[in-house]
Amino acid sequence: MAAVATGNVDKLKSDVASLSQISENEKNGFISLVSRYVSGEEAQHVEWSKIQTPTDEVVVPYDGLAPTPEDPEEIKKLLDKLVVLKLNGGLGTTMGCTGPKSVIEVRNGLTFLDLIVIQIENLNNKYGSSVPLLLMNSFNTHDDTQKIVEKYSKSNVQIHTFNQSQYPRLVVEDFSPLPSKGQTGKDGWYPPGHGDVFPSLKNSGKLDLLLSQGKEYVFIANSDNLGAVVDLSILFLHLIQKKNEYCMEVTPKTLADVKGGTLISYEGRVQLLEIAQVPDQHVNEFKSIEKFKIFNTNNLWVNLNAIKRLVEADALKMEVIPNPKEVDGVKVLQLETAAGAAIRFFNNAIGINVPRSRFLPVKATSDLLLVQSDLYTLQDGFVTRNSARKNPENPSIELGPEFKKVGSYLSRFKSIPSILELDSLKVSGDVWFGAGVALKGKVTITAKSGVKLEIPDNAVIANKDINGPEDL
């Protein structure tokens, strides 16, 4: 494709220049991304023999972090330099919801966004600090988010929103932008991945505004990661005392995370290794939890002045990730970058091996079941694991397609079952749960095709395969 495309970049430039829907910054950013892709700067395969396992200096154990200052006045000073930024560009479509994913109700009628605001508000109230919340929206979530944040106007958290870039989808056949083919709706465009957070922060004017307010550090995380809460020890020890410009929180891999990006030492620098960069013959090795023990949580702590320096120098050249799609039968390409891949451009960058509790993403209704159950408790906006659970691992949960959408998932549970002693649950078919059900050990529930299977109120199911009412 690259060979075909080289001559087409100039034509693409003139096509893109005539798109009135996007800014000059967006046009330039897009053309730069395409040019890098065409010249072969996509996620390159690494030379396997050069990969080294990072030492404890590069991926620091969390247990070794220094305690934070005791004095509340000192803590206030730390917090007053901090900004929390949540990546809020995703829609809840995979979970059957319209609008931003962050407005799905997680627990007690509170949404992801409610919990985030409550957490920061509690911090600000406790220490008298003024930590602001930034939401990076996409053109898909912007309008809805603007309306939603109005409800927090009386909270003790200043909320800023800005949009990540809007780039045209590329038609594979002739390397032209899809919007110039008459696709004027949202389908003609895409947000180019969360690596775009750095230039968008600068282009929106928010970066300079925050620096002028004395802010120096940003904690970036996905809005659907309930474990991504402000950690004073990371802020104090690494960003402030040790002057690490970029800290990526990593956590030990389990078999559920085999595809997650990992940190390696490569040619003297720490960098992110994603599965797309792994030569085919080494993919199984990459997925093993023996050699690559950690993965990226996408909780990132970054120095704001360093972001400004690197964006202004146009130095953040993260690997280009090609994401092929189809729109109305037309094959298109989205070129994206990941924020984690920026680690190799910052000085003194490190990984921090944090406890699993800091990674609690909700990607599907099976995750929602975990966090809505008695496995977790909710206090002051923080979702924490119930100490009564003896097994350090969470149960594995597989719910069939009948449970995929949040609405149908909720309607199938009269109340969320107790899963404190559950090891694994697999549900398939037309299954309905009564109130007060308890599931323990390994449980499989399968409704036969065309049969409705109802689990009665207060049923206790332990280490059982249920294939019909007769097994209850």
Side-chain angles (χ1 to χ4, degrees):
M1 175 167 184
V4 180
T6 315
N8 291 358
V9 174
D10 291 335
K11 179 180 180 305
L12 184 65
K13 260 187 200 166
S14 66
D15 287 348
V16 168
S18 64
L19 296 174
S20 57
Q21 299 93 323
I22 55 173
S23 67
E24 286 306 308
N25 279 331
E26 286 168 315
K27 291 174 185 178
N28 295 337
F30 175 67
I31 292 298
S32 156
L33 192 61
V34 173
S35 305
R36 290 204 296 119
Y37 174 65
V38 165
S39 63
E41 280 188 50
E42 61 188 291
Q44 294 286 0
H45 281 181
V46 289
E47 273 190 59
W48 204 250
S49 57
K50 288 186 180 176
I51 291 176
Q52 292 177 309
T53 304
T55 62
D56 279 2
E57 279 80 59
V58 179
V59 175
V60 182
Y62 182 81
D63 301 342
L65 291 187
T68 50
E70 297 286 307
D71 179 8
E73 197 48 46
E74 284 299 304
I75 294 177
K76 176 189 182 315
K77 276 186 195 157
L78 296 184
L79 287 171
D80 280 340
K81 296 179 176 180
L82 179 70
V83 176
V84 174
L85 191 160
K86 297 287 181 173
L87 303 170
N88 190 49
L91 292 165
T93 38
T94 50
M95 293 170 73
C97 296
T98 52
K101 187 175 178 188
S102 58
V103 300
I104 292 175
E105 287 187 7
V106 180
R107 200 166 163 136
N108 301 13
L110 298 168
T111 66
F112 289 105
L113 214 46
D114 292 338
L115 295 174
I116 290 163
V117 173
I118 293 166
Q119 288 163 13
I120 300 175
E121 186 165 40
N122 283 326
L123 212 52
N124 286 341
N125 289 343
K126 184 173 177 182
Y127 296 107
S129 54
S130 57
V131 177
L133 170 64
L134 262 82
L135 298 173
M136 181 169 86
N137 302 322
S138 65
F139 61 88
N140 287 317
T141 61
H142 176 259
D143 292 350
D144 287 333
T145 303
Q146 292 304 86
K147 292 190 196 87
I148 291 152
V149 296
E150 286 170 14
K151 77 174 188 179
Y152 307 118
S153 57
K154 303 255 186 318
S155 74
N156 186 17
V157 182
Q158 192 178 16
I159 300 177
H160 301 263
T161 59
F162 67 102
N163 264 12
Q164 75 177 107
S165 305
Q166 174 175 334
Y167 287 175
R169 284 175 161 157
L170 260 181
V171 178
V172 172
E173 190 187 14
D174 63 357
F175 223 62
S176 62
L178 188 57
S180 51
K181 296 267 183 165
Q183 176 56 265
T184 50
K186 279 188 175 174
D187 281 349
W189 307 90
Y190 74 100
H194 44 59
D196 185 55
V197 63
F198 304 115
S200 291
L201 198 53
K202 175 79 179 67
N203 294 338
S204 65
K206 295 295 180 189
L207 182 59
D208 289 332
L209 173 70
L210 293 163
L211 287 167
S212 73
Q213 294 172 347
K215 306 298 179 193
E216 294 178 40
Y217 312 100
V218 60
F219 173 40
I220 302 172
N222 296 349
S223 62
D224 65 2
N225 179 5
L226 295 169
V229 299
V230 170
D231 186 299
L232 288 168
S233 57
I234 295 177
L235 174 64
F236 178 60
L237 179 68
H238 286 288
L239 293 172
I240 295 174
Q241 284 194 320
K242 294 199 168 174
K243 301 197 165 23
N244 296 112
E245 287 188 347
Y246 184 114
C247 307
M248 173 189 287
E249 293 185 38
V250 294
T251 198
K253 256 190 200 182
T254 67
L255 291 171
D257 317 301
V258 291
K259 291 183 177 172
T262 191
L263 284 182
I264 55 171
S265 291
Y266 193 76
E267 298 180 332
R269 287 187 88 86
V270 61
Q271 75 177 56
L272 186 68
L273 176 66
E274 296 275 16
I275 196 161
Q277 296 163 271
V278 177
D280 292 348
Q281 68 271 31
H282 295 291
V283 165
N284 283 342
E285 200 181 338
F286 175 81
K287 287 180 174 179
S288 86
I289 37 187
E290 277 72 54
K291 177 161 183 177
F292 297 102
K293 295 184 168 69
I294 52 169
F295 74 99
N296 166 26
T297 63
N298 221 34
N299 297 349
L300 311 170
W301 298 77
V302 194
N303 180 303
L304 288 171
N305 280 299
I307 295 174
K308 183 176 166 74
R309 179 187 81 233
L310 290 167
V311 172
E312 286 181 348
D314 196 20
L316 292 176
K317 300 204 182 298
M318 284 89 88
E319 292 76 12
V320 184
I321 306 159
N323 185 356
K325 299 262 182 186
E326 206 167 286
V327 180
D328 299 333
V330 178
K331 286 190 169 56
V332 296
L333 198 58
Q334 298 183 177
L335 301 179
E336 301 173 8
T337 61
I343 189 166
R344 62 193 176 96
F345 301 104
F346 287 83
N347 296 332
N348 212 0
I350 57 163
I352 301 174
N353 197 348
V354 299
R356 184 76 187 197
S357 57
R358 295 191 54 76
F359 183 66
L360 185 56
V362 178
K363 302 289 180 198
T365 50
S366 50
D367 301 319
L368 212 47
L369 179 58
L370 287 175
V371 299
Q372 291 182 338
S373 73
D374 54 356
L375 202 54
Y376 287 89
T377 55
L378 178 64
Q379 197 178 1
D380 300 336
F382 297 97
V383 177
T384 36
R385 228 171 86 129
N386 188 336
S387 54
R389 165 87 172 175
K390 296 294 173 270
N391 184 343
E393 301 250 328
N394 274 346
S396 78
I397 295 182
E398 275 183 68
L399 301 175
E402 295 80 3
F403 290 80
K404 188 178 181 192
K405 296 186 170 180
V406 176
S408 41
Y409 153 85
L410 289 171
S411 69
R412 286 175 178 272
F413 290 101
K414 256 195 215 169
S415 70
I416 299 296
S418 165
I419 58 171
L420 210 49
E421 296 173 50
L422 180 70
D423 296 321
S424 66
L425 171 67
K426 187 169 183 182
V427 182
S428 39
D430 187 13
V431 180
W432 300 75
F433 289 81
V437 174
L439 305 170
K440 303 177 181 192
K442 289 189 160 76
V443 176
T444 309
I445 303 172
T446 311
K448 295 188 178 78
S449 179
V451 178
K452 180 178 184 177
L453 177 56
E454 299 192 45
I455 309 298
D457 292 356
N458 305 315
V460 177
I461 303 174
N463 292 309
K464 257 186 158 177
D465 283 354
I466 309 263
N467 294 297
E470 64 283 359
D471 297 330
L472 287 161

